[in-house]
């Protein structure tokens, strides 16, 4: 089988999981698709050098690309027209998700990446550290700081917490 066919199979099999990770990092569908496409393009050029399972390698590219995008002064296109009104969604569950996302958006990018990789993608501390290019201790401290910030975030504090 050729390298191109291997890459195509990988994209077909794993792109939905990788897109979910990209969305959790960006919280924007279009930006997540752009992020995934950029990561897959970078992976394509390194495909012949990847040993073993390529998914951790591609996830690392994804997270590093996300981090580098936010270091730039210009973060993307700016809308000129008023955005459409969101569709009304029934139930408190959507409000709770929005509150969580609002709180997550207030976290520094490194802490948000650690939370997504550790608790949503269910990676170990060692896998998260390897993916982010930091020590396991850094992952532990960033996760601890992120969770501490989320516990006291006004969007997530309930009336029961005040009692």
């Amino acid at each position: 089988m050729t390298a191109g066919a291997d890459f195509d199979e990988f994209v077909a099999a794993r792109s939905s999981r990788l897109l979910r990770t990209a969305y959790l990092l960006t919280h924007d569908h279009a930006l997540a698709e752009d992020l995934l496409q950029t990561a897959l393009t970078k992976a394509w050029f390194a495909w012949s050098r990847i040993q073993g399972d390529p998914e951790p390698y591609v996830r690392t590219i994804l997270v590093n690309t996300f981090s580098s995008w936010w270091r730039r002064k210009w973060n993307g296109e700016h809308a000129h027209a008023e955005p459409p009104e969101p569709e009304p969604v029934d139930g408190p569950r959507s409000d709770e998700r929005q509150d969580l996302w609002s709180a997550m958006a207030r976290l520094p990018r490194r802490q948000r990446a650690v939370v997504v990789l550790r608790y949503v993608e269910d990676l170990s501390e060692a896998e998260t550290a390897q993916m982010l290019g930091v020590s396991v201790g850094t992952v532990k401290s960033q996760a601890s700081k992120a969770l501490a910030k989320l516990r006291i975030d006004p969007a997530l504090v309930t009336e029961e917490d005040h009692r």
Side-chain angles (χ1 to χ4, degrees), residues 130-143:
Q130 182 180 11
M131 194 162 291
L132 294 174
V134 298
S135 70
V136 173
T138 299
V139 170
K140 289 179 181 180
S141 69
Q142 293 295 301

Side-chain angles (χ1 to χ4, degrees), residues 2-138:
T2 66
D6 287 344
F7 183 77
D8 291 345
E9 285 180 19
F10 171 79
V11 171
R14 309 261 179 97
S15 63
S16 61
R17 284 189 57 174
L18 293 167
L19 182 59
R20 183 182 86 167
T21 300
Y23 178 76
L24 291 170
L25 291 170
T26 63
H27 196 48
D28 180 286
H29 290 290
L31 192 56
E33 290 172 354
D34 290 347
L35 177 59
L36 177 59
Q37 189 66 38
T38 301
L40 290 173
T41 301
K42 290 178 180 181
W44 166 251
F45 289 110
W47 195 252
S48 62
R49 298 186 309 267
I50 299 174
Q51 302 286 323
D53 182 15
E55 187 169 356
Y57 186 85
V58 176
R59 278 188 194 281
T60 300
I61 293 172
L62 192 75
V63 171
N64 289 342
T65 301
F66 168 72
S67 296
S68 70
W69 280 4
W70 297 113
R71 285 189 205 117
R72 297 179 190 159
K73 289 186 182 212
W74 184 69
N75 289 331
E77 299 174 3
H78 298 285
H80 293 284
E82 289 294 317
E85 289 295 319
E87 298 271 334
V89 180
D90 295 331
R93 190 169 167 86
S94 65
D95 292 342
E96 291 170 4
R97 275 192 301 233
Q98 184 60 39
D99 290 346
L100 178 58
W101 247 134
S102 298
M104 287 283 290
R106 285 189 283 277
L107 291 176
R109 283 168 181 71
R110 173 69 53 91
Q111 290 177 10
R112 187 179 341 153
V114 167
V115 169
V116 167
L117 294 173
R118 281 284 294 131
Y119 303 108
V120 179
E121 294 298 323
D122 201 27
L123 297 181
S124 69
E125 290 169 342
E127 291 168 326
T128 302
Q130 182 180 11
M131 194 162 291
L132 294 174
V134 298
S135 70
V136 173
T138 299

